[in-house]
Structures are given as C-alpha cells and as structure tokens.
Amino acid sequence: AGATLLRSVALAAIVVALLKPTLHRSSEDVSVVYVLDVSGSVAPRFLDEALGWIAQVNERHRPAQSRVVVFADHAELLDSIDAVRALAATRAVGAGGEGAIDQGATDLEQGLLAALPGFAPGLAKRIVLLSDGNQTEGDVWQAMLRLQAEAVRVFAVPAPVAAHNDAWVERIEVPPGAPERAALEVEVRVFSRRAV
C-alpha cells in the first residue's frame, strides 16, 4: 500500500513537471530613466524646469528606481537630479572642455540607448524622453526597435524650442532618372516655426 502511494505521488510529480507550471504575479514596481535633451535647439530655461518636473513626478509616483540621461552630441547616464545639477555646474554644457556635452548636435538614438544600462533588473522599464525631437545625428527609429525588443515603453514630453523664428529646408525631392543639365521640377519642403 505504501509503495503504491509513493508511485502515485511520483507519477503525479512527473505529470506536474511535464506541464511546466509557472507562477505569474503582477508587479507595479517601475524603473524609470528620464532622457533629457540639453542641445542648443532646446530653450535654455528648460533644464531647470525639467529637473523640477522630474522631482515632482518622482515624489508623486514614487518609482522603485529612477535615473537620468543627459544628452546632446553624446549621452551620460547619471544617478540623480543632483548629479545632473553637479554636471551642469562643473562641466558647463557646451563649454567645449574634455568630456563636455556639445550642444551643437542632437543624437536621440544615443540618448535613448544610454538609458538601457540604467534600468534596475526585474522591474518594468520606462523611459520619459524630454526633447524637442530635432535630431541631427543617429537614427531614433533604430533605437526604438532595440527598446521595443527590450520591452521598454517610451513616453515623450515636448521641450520648448530655443528659437521661435527658426526655418529650414526639411526635404528636397528630385524626380528619379533626371537627365544631366535638363530643366526639371523639384519639390522643396521648408519648415518654419512661424508664419512667414
């Protein structure tokens, strides 16, 4: 009788093991990395406003962990808002010294990808991107594919632009196979921040 009972328990254990049971539990613990654009196209007052906003959001929602990436031509991952303020004070953004962030360029791809090592393991991954979205280097769509593969959700907060009267050529389209020295029509898309 005892041997039959042991065989039954062993058989039941094998069946349970073959079913590969998993325990799912939901967690609301979130790891947040704020990705902060400090390039020249963003209004100068934005850095202080953004840091104040980040502090308020952290106080209100209390993520399990948060960090900050500061970026323009390259990105730096920092542990806290105080570290961002210290960076701004000791290595003036745009000052041109060794390791200083050059505000003349905006690499959104590098800024977003620099957030990946900043997430705490085992937590839901969230990026809050604070930028005007004006990319001059890199490919933000490549970064988005990588973030999607890593199960990172990205939320964007628009930053005010530095100049409201800026204008630029967005795109020039030339018909394919245009002959040399021939007159042809081209389509030029010009973007302006105000009516001109």
Side-chain angles (χ1 to χ4, degrees):
T4 305
L5 178 63
L6 284 176
R7 285 186 191 131
S8 298
V9 169
L11 183 59
I14 291 171
V15 169
V16 169
L18 289 174
L19 293 175
K20 297 181 182 179
T22 57
L23 174 64
H24 296 281
R25 63 183 184 107
S26 62
S27 172
E28 294 184 17
D29 292 338
V30 176
S31 178
V32 178
V33 178
Y34 299 95
V35 180
L36 180 58
D37 185 348
V38 293
S39 65
S41 63
V42 175
R45 70 182 189 282
F46 180 65
L47 178 62
D48 284 333
E49 291 173 359
L51 293 177
W53 181 83
I54 290 169
Q56 288 175 355
V57 169
N58 280 346
E59 180 65 29
R60 182 174 177 200
H61 296 287
R62 299 199 180 277
Q65 180 256 358
S66 72
R67 297 181 82 184
V68 181
V69 169
V70 176
F71 79 98
D73 72 317
H74 71 276
E76 295 196 28
L77 176 63
L78 304 167
D79 289 326
S80 67
I81 293 171
D82 293 334
V84 175
R85 292 188 198 282
L87 174 73
T90 59
R91 237 178 15 199
V93 173
E98 185 178 328
I101 295 175
D102 178 8
Q103 290 184 287
T106 305
D107 192 337
L108 282 168
E109 178 182 12
Q110 194 176 117
L112 289 167
L113 293 180
L116 286 174
F119 292 115
L123 302 179
K125 301 171 188 172
R126 303 291 184 260
I127 288 178
V128 179
L129 173 64
L130 299 105
S131 174
D132 64 353
N134 187 16
Q135 144 181 291
T136 61
E137 295 178 11
D139 185 352
V140 70
W141 297 113
Q142 290 300 317
M144 294 306 288
L145 291 172
R146 170 86 186 276
L147 294 173
Q148 184 178 23
E150 299 277 343
V152 178
R153 292 187 63 193
V154 180
F155 301 89
V157 175
V161 295
H164 292 288
N165 59 353
D166 197 10
W168 61 86
V169 175
E170 184 78 21
R171 183 171 72 223
I172 299 175
E173 293 182 13
V174 179
E180 187 177 336
R181 299 183 187 270
L184 55 102
E185 285 188 29
V186 297
E187 182 178 328
V188 179
R189 291 183 173 252
V190 179
F191 183 86
S192 175
R193 296 197 184 279
R194 65 184 178 103
V196 291

